[in-house]
Amino acid sequence: GAGVSQSPRYKVAKRGQDVALRCDPISGHVSLFWYQQALGQGPEFLTYFQNEAQLDKSGLPSDRFFAERPEGSVSTLKIQRTQQEDSAVYLCASSSDRRSTDTQYFGPGTRLTVL
Amino acid sequence: GESVGLHLPTLSVQEGDNSIINCAYSNSASDYFIWYKQESGKGPQFIIDIRSNMDKRQGQRVTVLLNKTVKHLSLQIAATQPGDSAVYFCAEVTQGGSEKLVFGKGTKLTVNP
């Protein structure tokens, strides 16, 4: 079946622009996660949804970052007034249930470059 | 100056050799651990997992060892193949909190034919 998909795969933004990154999780998956991966480093947690509820947003680096999942499926990560330090790969992952031991399946990521 | 994190630990092996990748995790309360493989331009791919009540688990060509005393995790890959070349990350989950993964530093594995 289809895995996690993300769009766009690549995004170039000028400093100060707003961007929106989309994640389509595996159909039926309850949990959805966003991670940020800087060059040469491991992914770092941003936020977590269980269905449409955002249960943890402790990893969002500033109030310029906002995520939503209004119908409990597709999710959008929005970054306002982008800065150069926002340049990274943004990864989305989903898991089938809400247990901590459920495997998280990752999408290919969106590579954001802020000029 | 050099930026921390841009230079991953690397491991270079010959095709057919066994590989051992190590990871030190941070939280003694973590109770679930996963190894992910990440190829260039792709998202992390699940390899194998282990719960804290175990010290060893085997999969196909892979074995994970967990030493809770020293907070150490290792991934052993038998008969390494060129397709195993990738960056490998360990990740930990702490039960009772968010189900988020906390990733360790990656190791870049290069398999020479």
Side-chain angles (χ1 to χ4, degrees):
Chain A
V4 178
S5 60
Q6 294 185 245
S7 61
R9 290 294 315 277
Y10 303 91
K11 177 69 179 177
V12 178
K14 292 183 180 179
R15 189 164 60 93
Q17 283 184 331
D18 298 348
V19 298
L21 312 179
R22 177 186 169 108
C23 172
D24 285 80
I26 294 173
S27 178
H29 275 196
V30 168
S31 297
L32 185 145
F33 304 81
W34 284 98
Y35 294 85
Q36 180 191 57
Q37 186 173 25
L39 183 65
Q41 299 186 26
E44 292 192 355
F45 171 79
L46 293 176
T47 187
Y48 159 59
F49 291 86
Q50 196 176 93
N51 295 308
E52 69 278 2
Q54 189 174 21
L55 298 187
D56 187 347
K57 52 181 181 180
S58 62
L60 296 176
S62 77
D63 59 7
R64 295 186 296 105
F65 287 71
F66 172 77
E68 60 184 5
R69 194 186 185 199
E71 297 179 358
S73 56
V74 171
S75 178
T76 303
L77 176 66
K78 298 179 180 178
I79 309 173
Q80 298 177 323
R81 303 181 302 282
T82 52
Q83 304 294 315
Q84 284 189 322
E85 61 263 28
D86 300 335
S87 295
V89 174
Y90 291 85
L91 294 162
C92 176
S94 70
S95 65
S96 60
D97 210 324
R98 54 186 67 110
R99 294 172 302 178
S100 61
T101 54
D102 286 322
T103 301
Q104 292 186 29
Y105 296 93
F106 282 82
T110 294
R111 180 178 295 277
L112 173 65
T113 303
V114 181
L115 303 178
Chain B
E2 181 175 339
S3 298
V4 174
L6 283 180
H7 300 284
L8 289 170
T10 59
L11 176 64
S12 185
V13 301
Q14 291 298 121
E15 182 177 359
D17 287 352
N18 296 332
S19 302
I20 299 176
I21 300 171
N22 297 302
C23 174
Y25 64 91
S26 58
N27 190 346
S28 57
S30 293
D31 53 9
Y32 178 57
F33 305 89
I34 313 100
W35 279 99
Y36 279 91
K37 171 187 180 182
Q38 188 172 29
E39 296 174 282
S40 181
K42 297 183 179 180
Q45 176 188 358
F46 173 88
I47 301 174
I48 191 168
D49 58 1
I50 188 168
R51 299 191 188 199
S52 60
N53 61 354
M54 303 171 68
D55 53 20
K56 179 179 181 179
R57 190 169 187 215
Q58 289 185 293
Q60 187 177 11
R61 283 202 306 119
V62 294
T63 301
V64 55
L65 299 177
L66 174 63
N67 184 331
K68 294 182 289 295
T69 303
V70 294
K71 295 192 289 185
H72 184 267
L73 202 62
S74 70
L75 176 70
Q76 301 178 2
I77 305 174
T80 316
Q81 302 167 0
D84 295 327
S85 294
V87 177
Y88 290 80
F89 292 98
C90 66
E92 60 189 292
V93 179
T94 304
Q95 193 172 34
S98 168
E99 283 73 22
K100 66 183 180 186
L101 296 169
V102 177
F103 284 83
K105 298 189 193 314
T107 296
K108 183 176 181 180
L109 175 65
T110 301
V111 182
N112 302 306

